[in-house]
Structures are given as structure tokens and as C-alpha cells.
Amino acid sequence: MTSHPLHFKSIVEVGQMIRRGEVTSVGVTRHMLDLIASVDGRFKSYIHLCGERALEQAEAADAALAAGLYRGQLHGVPIAIKDLCYTTYAPTRAGTTIYRGFMAPHNATVVDRLETAGAVILGKLSMTEGAYTGHHPTIPAPKNPWNESYWVGTSSSGSGVAPSAGLCFASLGSDTGGSIRYPCATCGLTGIKPTFGRVSRHGVFALAESLDHVGPMARSVADCAVILQAMAGWDAHDPTSLDVPVPDYATEIGKGVRDMRIGIDREYAFRGVDREVATALEQAVEVFETLGARIIEVTLPDYDALVDAWIMMCAIETAVAHQDTYPARKEEYGPDLAQLIEEGLSTTGTEAARGHHLRINFSMAFEALFGGIDCMLCPTMPSPTPSLADMKDYGADPAVLNAIMRYTAPYDFSGSPTVTLPNGFDNAGMPLSMQIVGPKLGEAAIIRAGDAFQSVTDWHTRHPDIGG
């Protein structure tokens, strides 16, 4: 058991404490709500707090436990969800002003499944407008708890800030081009972008439906596995969900990586990468070798043109997602999302077809790599966490966006699962990060590898000083 304050403990730890009666769910939930009231005025991670309902859920969780009903590791544990997941009990605005006050007719499937697993929902977390790059000008952007002058990542910004600052034990994020992975990288978190179709998107606002993924963000691979287990599986309401069995991800925890085949394309992983990022990745390779993994050299299929096509491919689908409100309510949109939609409206069919062909070719060739490896290692971003000043043109300048998406966009196109996890700190004291990528439906392999790394390193256990 670690000596972390209650709010910085893992899901596994706090869940065991609740089950053993060392704490109550009500006590933990009150502690979290008090902390949010104390410090989130500075961090701005929550857009809507569900305090009264959360306490009612916690009371029900305690009563169920007293009656001998235990729902699993999430029983009574307070978490939070990105504000693009439908909820009937709180508005869902998806970072926009257009949907201010929108009350959904049903919960998102992922919300229902988490609550069925016993989770307590503290509230809805802030995000960029429509899940693209920029926050709406009228909605304050969340602040990085490690250093408020540094980028917090997009679009799951509040979903990165809240668990990093100890304001929930885990969160839900979404990822269309890197939006689970960037906030995990900048906030020192672990996150899983699952295989496309592994987790239902029913009741989740779309950015680009063929690229959108929903996944967990937490403090460890083991914690992410708990959340993923509760959410994963076929959903009759989502025609893109996969009707295949869901493995018991908990069996991968503690299994180790002896004789596991971990691929690395050194040209891809290290070319043009900041020295601090490269050094941390090299050290991670050494850790895996020490643990008994086999490091295998691979060559990634050509990806440059595909990354260049991401904005266009996202744009055409975003234009469809917003066709009921754009251009009819164009004046209510922020500049980044409006610019993206305009690009989508102006893209020709032949341009879209070229992008689609690039996607198919990369996806097929990339999946073929896993005939010889179990998973692949690469950075999450080519540089350490940038400052806000460095990212002022993010979203408006395609060159800035393309540069940072080199390690994220390809796996949204291919629908491949990835786990993002911290692997060091830079000279400015900001977290560094890496990615483990698996074959489709290969969540078990990346969970196994990520957990093995975290079993012998402590980067994921460190947390910012939040004051309060």
C-alpha cells in the first residue's frame, strides 16, 4: 500500500479500502467533492458537478456492500466523464455553446455500464469545442496541474486534469486524433485508446464517427484495465461495436513480459524526436529487455501522407456531424471548429477518396506487422510537453497539428489499440510519455506490457502538488 493521500490512490487501492470497510464510499465521495470545491476553481477541470447525486450513489454503494452485494473493483469508487457522453441527469454540451443546457434522452452506453459496475459519477469534465483542438472562447480551458503555463492536451483536457490533480480516480476521454493520449502525456497519466468498436460510442457526441474512440484515463494500466473491463463489449445500439468476447483483462496484470515480442521501428521512433523523449524511450526499451522481452526491429508502413490527410478526413465527417447547426448557427462557433467544418464542406469527393485509400493501405499493412510481434513501442509525442505559448497556433496551423500527430493519428485511422503511459520527466519537471500499440483487439497484450513496465518503475505513481 502506498502512502499517497486518499485522492491520489489508485482505483485498485481505494476499491479494496471500500470493500474492507476501511473507508466508506460516502466518505471518499465527500472527500473528493470537498477537494474539488477547494482547488478546481484554479484547475477548471469540471464543467458540471453532480455532487448530490454522487452522494446518493455512494450511499447506495455502501448499503449494497453492507447487504453482501459487491459489484467489483469499481464499487463505490468516484470517477468522472468527459462532457460529450450523454447523461439524463446532467447537461451534455460537448464543449460548445450551441448545446448549452442540452439534456439527453438517455445515457451513453459507457455511462450506464460504469454505473452498473458500481462507479460513482462525480460530474462532467470540460473539453475543447466539439472535441476538436480549441476550447470555445467563452469556456475557460482547464489548467495543467503540473505547471499551469504548459499545454494540457486536447480534446479530453478536463479528463486529463481531474485525475492528475486527484479530483477523481479515473475519467473517460475520447480520441479521434490523439485526444486521450495527449492529455495523458502532458498530465502524467495512463490511458487506453481501445480498438475501434471494442467500446460503444452510443450516446457520445461525434467529431468524426469513423475515427472516434472512447477510453479510460487513470493513474495506472491496472486501473485503466478495470474501467475498460466495465465498458467493453457489443452494444446493439452501436452498429460499429464488435460482437466478440471480451477477455478478462485482470489476468494480464502481473503476468510479465518474458519472451513477449515487442517491436520498434527505430527510424520512426527516434527520427526528429527531442533528445529527452528519445532518451526516456531508449531507457524503456532497456527495462523491457531486462524483464525478458524480445525487442524486434520492424518497419512501419508509410505514414507521412496519411498523417497529412488527417485534418481533411476528420473535417468531412465533422461537417456531417454538425450539419444541423452549421452554417445555420455559424456565429456561435469558435474559430477552430468552424475552420475545420469549412474545410470539410470544401473537400472534393476525389480528395476524400484518396485519403480513404491511404487509410486502407496503411491499416492493412500495419496489422500485418503483428504476425511477428505482440505489440510495438513508440513515443506519444515527438517533444516534451510544450508550453501554452508554443501551442498558440495549434489547430489553426496544419503544420503544428501534423507535427504532433505523427505518433497518434495513424492508430485512429487503423483502429488499433494503444496504451499511453508516463516514462520520465523532462528538465522542466513535466511528464514524459510513451505508447504501446497492439493489433486489433490486442488490448490484453498492451495491458500486459504496460503493467510490466509499471511494476518496476514509479513514474505513474508521482503526482503534482495541487495545494489546497
Side-chain angles (χ1 to χ4, degrees), residues 336-353:
D336 289 355
L337 186 57
Q339 178 178 308
L340 181 71
I341 294 171
E342 288 289 351
E343 176 158 347
L345 293 172
S346 65
T347 299
T348 67
T350 53
E351 289 171 329

Side-chain angles (χ1 to χ4, degrees), residues 86-97:
Y86 281 17
T87 49
T88 59
Y89 50 83
T92 306
R93 63 193 296 178
T96 71
T97 57

Side-chain angles (χ1 to χ4, degrees), residues 140-162:
K143 301 296 184 182
N144 195 316
W146 289 94
N147 188 322
E148 295 178 28
S149 66
Y150 279 74
W151 193 51
V152 77
T154 56
S155 65
S156 307
S157 50
S159 296
V161 170

Side-chain angles (χ1 to χ4, degrees), residues 242-279:
L242 300 174
D243 189 7
V244 293
V246 178
D248 183 356
Y249 298 125
T251 62
E252 302 301 322
I253 303 303
K255 188 178 285 188
V257 290
R258 183 160 298 281
D259 294 326
M260 195 174 191
R261 303 166 302 170
I262 299 179
I264 186 164
D265 180 337
R266 294 186 182 275
E267 192 277 340
Y268 171 64
F270 295 114
R271 176 178 60 85
V273 171
D274 183 271
R275 186 68 250 167
E276 290 182 289
V277 174
T279 298

Side-chain angles (χ1 to χ4, degrees), residues 171-197:
S171 63
L172 285 193
S174 68
D175 195 305
T176 306
S179 296
I180 287 173
R181 290 165 286 173
Y182 300 144
C184 282
T186 61
C187 293
L189 296 176
T190 301
I192 294 178
K193 182 194 78 67
T195 302
F196 184 82

Side-chain angles (χ1 to χ4, degrees), residues 54-276:
L55 287 170
E56 291 173 355
Q57 285 186 298
E59 289 173 0
D62 288 336
L65 203 55
L69 175 61
Y70 176 63
R71 296 185 178 182
Q73 290 179 294
L74 276 175
H75 190 115
V77 177
I79 65 171
I81 56 178
K82 186 174 179 176
D83 192 32
L84 47 56
C85 298
Y86 281 17
T87 49
T88 59
Y89 50 83
T92 306
R93 63 193 296 178
T96 71
T97 57
I98 287 176
Y99 293 105
R100 187 194 307 273
F102 168 70
M103 296 299 294
H106 57 82
N107 288 337
T109 296
V110 290
V111 173
D112 280 340
R113 289 181 176 177
L114 289 170
E115 293 192 342
T116 298
V120 171
I121 308 298
L122 291 170
K124 312 287 286 288
L125 296 165
S126 194
M127 56 179 285
T128 58
E129 185 183 17
Y132 190 47
T133 55
H135 294 86
H136 192 279
T138 65
I139 300 174
K143 301 296 184 182
N144 195 316
W146 289 94
N147 188 322
E148 295 178 28
S149 66
Y150 279 74
W151 193 51
V152 77
T154 56
S155 65
S156 307
S157 50
S159 296
V161 170
S164 179
L167 306 183
C168 59
F169 291 97
S171 63
L172 285 193
S174 68
D175 195 305
T176 306
S179 296
I180 287 173
R181 290 165 286 173
Y182 300 144
C184 282
T186 61
C187 293
L189 296 176
T190 301
I192 294 178
K193 182 194 78 67
T195 302
F196 184 82
R198 174 55 95 186
V199 172
S200 172
R201 294 177 297 107
H202 174 63
V204 177
F205 268 108
L207 174 60
E209 288 213 40
S210 76
L211 295 167
D212 294 345
H213 302 66
V214 179
M217 301 167 65
R219 300 195 189 104
S220 69
V221 172
D223 282 1
C224 285
V226 170
I227 300 284
L228 182 61
Q229 192 75 55
M231 297 193 300
W234 179 72
D235 177 16
H237 298 294
D238 180 358
T240 67
S241 70
L242 300 174
D243 189 7
V244 293
V246 178
D248 183 356
Y249 298 125
T251 62
E252 302 301 322
I253 303 303
K255 188 178 285 188
V257 290
R258 183 160 298 281
D259 294 326
M260 195 174 191
R261 303 166 302 170
I262 299 179
I264 186 164
D265 180 337
R266 294 186 182 275
E267 192 277 340
Y268 171 64
F270 295 114
R271 176 178 60 85
V273 171
D274 183 271
R275 186 68 250 167
E276 290 182 289

